[in-house]
Every structure is written in C-alpha cells, then in structure tokens.
Amino acid sequence: MPRTPTGKRERHKAIVEVVRTEAIPNQEALRGRLRKRGIQVAQATLSRDIRELGLVKGADSNGRPHYQVPGEDSPHPAALQRLLPDLFVSADGTQNLLLLRTLIGGAQPIGAALDGEQWPEVLGTVAGDDTVLVILREARHLRSVRDRIERMAGGRP
C-alpha cells in the first residue's frame, strides 16, 4: 500500500502528540497508542518516522526511559554532543567494527545521531538497547572514530 505525503504528515503529527502527552517507553507501545487512534503502521515505518522526527529517549524522574520530542529551538536535537555525555559507557573495537556500550535505552538515539552526523568514516550503525555496532569504511578509521566519540562523551581531553 503506497504512502501518501498527507498520510505521513498526519502520522507524524499523531506521533508527536502522543509522545508529548504520554510516557511511551518503546516502539511497540507507540504502535499501540497509534492503533487506538486508528493509525496502523508497520514497525519499519515507525522506526523511520522516529528517526525522521528526531525523537530521542530520555528518562523520567524515576529513571524509566521514554521517547521525547526534541526542543524546537535546537538546530540538531539528536546531536551526539548532547547525547553522549549522558548515555555513553564505553567503546571497543576490532578491524572496521566499533562497539559502543550505552546505558539501557541509549543505543538507538546514539546510533541515529551518529548516522545523522554522516561522518565519512562511518558506513552505518546497528543499534540494540544498550549497544551500538558502528561499521567503519576502513579498519584504519577505528582509533580516530573511537577517540572522537570518547572526547565527545567527556571521557578524554
């Protein structure tokens, strides 16, 4: 079934409204809330919507993760500079693979932010809940990318 731009805009509007008014911990919960509003969306489409909207996972006062709409005043709301100091734990790698460890719930926003940076050394990322696999174009980039990420996280000068 082809998507129309109007359908996508309406879906994005509904996603933002739900995330602003409820603590949504994961994609499945968000799909459920959208379904209650009569919006059926595939998991892959919802993942793309979340990335396009720049939603990030934050934590409530009890430390429970939930999606947040980034501030309207921020030019690049999911920037690594904002996320890494709070979510990054460690980095290690071999050859052209760099594994980032994050706090629980931190991997997807960091992976999306890293993809959004479009660093020429990075081919792409695969994010789980607390790990991000960064696939580098060449093994020679491992040290410089790891060091840059660690500096951004505040781990090294």
Side-chain angles (χ1 to χ4, degrees), residues 13-148:
K13 183 178 176 184
I15 290 168
V16 168
E17 187 176 304
V18 167
V19 169
R20 280 189 175 146
T21 59
E22 299 180 49
I24 305 295
N26 55 47
Q27 286 186 22
E28 199 50 45
L30 181 55
R31 281 182 71 200
R33 299 308 191 291
L34 292 172
R35 199 171 21 254
K36 286 182 181 179
R37 292 173 171 236
I39 300 171
Q40 297 291 330
V41 61
Q43 188 275 329
T45 301
L46 185 57
S47 290
R48 190 170 37 256
D49 289 342
I50 288 169
R51 194 170 46 251
E52 289 172 1
L53 290 167
L55 299 183
V56 295
K57 272 203 177 171
D60 65 16
S61 59
N62 295 318
R64 290 185 297 258
H66 63 91
Y67 285 111
Q68 296 177 325
V69 178
E72 311 297 340
D73 51 79
S74 174
H76 194 338
L80 281 175
Q81 296 90 329
R82 188 175 76 72
L83 295 172
L84 284 172
D86 293 332
L87 300 175
F88 177 80
V89 173
S90 66
D92 196 8
T94 183
Q95 299 296 319
N96 70 322
L97 302 175
L98 177 62
L99 186 71
L100 307 180
R101 301 242 183 237
T102 72
L103 296 179
I104 293 172
Q108 291 181 13
I110 286 177
L114 186 54
D115 288 337
E117 293 288 324
Q118 298 181 347
W119 291 353
E121 307 94 331
V122 175
L123 188 59
T125 64
V126 179
D129 194 37
D130 63 355
T131 56
V132 180
L133 177 62
V134 182
I135 303 164
L136 304 169
R137 292 190 185 278
E138 297 181 36
R140 67 185 173 93
H141 298 304
L142 178 66
R143 180 177 295 204
S144 66
V145 170
R146 183 188 62 221
D147 289 350
R148 188 179 335 164

